């Protein structure tokens, strides 16, 4: 068992390693990017990276309060799903009705690498490489399709 402080330290060290690995990486448009906090620039549409005791994960969460808008955006992702898979990877899991821990209903897309743990330092390199590949692929997709999704939400 780890203390809260030890858990915080483990997470902090992992994400710092990821940040350093990504520091020199440029976005598809050639710009510097904050890869840890990759912003969609669309309200209530979130790109999230996570690594825990079981898996390394990239999420796309649609949290629009207006269910109609959320459905339209979800349908557009489904229309562009093959391109998204081509860019990010074919292990995509679609979770059209997912409840977050705070009981907010979202539509979620998920890519995960299982069998790795943030508590095993030997897994950190594999998780970093996986998350790098996924977020770079998402950036490639998003640089081409952002305007389409932006138009749906505004």
């Amino acid at each position: 068992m780890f203390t809260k402080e030890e858990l915080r330290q483990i997470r902090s060290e992992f994400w710092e390693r990821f940040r350093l690995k990504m520091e020199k990486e440029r976005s598809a448009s050639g710009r510097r990017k904050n890869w840890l906090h990759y912003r969609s620039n669309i309200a209530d549409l979130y790109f999230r990276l996570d690594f825990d005791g079981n898996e390394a994960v990239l999420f796309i969460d649609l949290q629009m309060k207006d269910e109609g808008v959320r459905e339209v955006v979800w349908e557009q992702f489904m229309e562009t799903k093959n391109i998204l898979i081509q860019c990010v990877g074919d292990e995509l899991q679609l979770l059209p009705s997912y409840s977050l821990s705070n009981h907010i209903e979202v539509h979620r897309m998920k890519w995960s690498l299982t069998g790795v743990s943030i508590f095993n330092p030997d897994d950190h390199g594999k998780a970093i490489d996986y998350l790098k590949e996924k977020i770079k692929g998402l950036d490639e997709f998003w640089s081409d399709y952002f305007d389409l999704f932006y138009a749906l939400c505004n």
Side-chain angles (χ1 to χ4, degrees):
M1 274 310 198
F2 296 100
T3 66
K4 284 185 181 181
E5 180 57 31
E6 289 170 327
L7 290 173
R8 189 195 64 73
Q9 184 67 29
I10 291 167
R11 287 186 182 102
S12 177
E13 287 173 6
F14 172 79
W15 290 111
E16 179 61 14
R17 280 186 62 196
F18 180 80
R19 186 189 67 76
L20 290 172
K21 174 94 173 189
M22 298 298 292
E23 199 169 48
K24 291 186 172 54
E25 294 291 329
R26 300 288 181 188
S27 70
S29 64
R31 294 189 167 154
R32 294 188 69 182
K33 201 75 166 158
N34 181 349
W35 298 103
L36 273 178
H37 304 288
Y38 191 112
R39 299 175 60 99
S40 72
N41 293 316
I42 294 177
D44 301 320
L45 194 161
Y46 301 99
F47 303 142
R48 295 191 168 105
L49 298 172
D50 194 18
F51 186 32
D52 61 23
N54 303 311
E55 60 187 353
V57 186
L58 166 67
F59 296 113
I60 299 175
D61 283 345
L62 309 181
Q63 295 184 2
M64 290 80 177
K65 289 158 191 61
D66 182 326
E67 194 172 323
V69 172
R70 191 169 63 229
E71 283 300 322
V72 167
V73 173
W74 179 259
E75 287 303 316
Q76 189 59 61
F77 270 109
M78 295 306 97
E79 289 288 322
T80 57
K81 181 175 76 169
N82 289 338
I83 299 161
L84 184 62
I85 287 170
Q86 201 173 28
C87 293
V88 184
D90 63 359
E91 70 275 17
L92 170 63
Q93 295 175 14
L94 301 173
L95 306 166
S97 186
Y98 185 84
S99 267
L100 299 174
S101 59
N102 56 2
H103 306 292
I104 293 175
E105 188 78 14
V106 302
H107 292 344
R108 173 172 273 186
M109 287 160 268
K110 173 183 176 181
W111 290 263
S112 64
L113 174 66
T114 58
V116 293
S117 172
I118 196 166
F119 306 115
N120 182 354
D122 294 340
D123 290 341
H124 289 190
K126 190 187 310 183
I128 287 169
D129 290 344
Y130 179 82
L131 293 172
K132 175 184 174 181
E133 174 190 326
K134 298 306 163 194
I135 198 72
K136 293 278 292 184
L138 178 60
D139 177 65
E140 180 185 334
F141 172 83
W142 203 238
S143 70
D144 290 338
Y145 289 92
F146 166 77
D147 291 337
L148 174 67
F149 286 92
Y150 184 82
L152 291 174
C153 297
N154 293 307

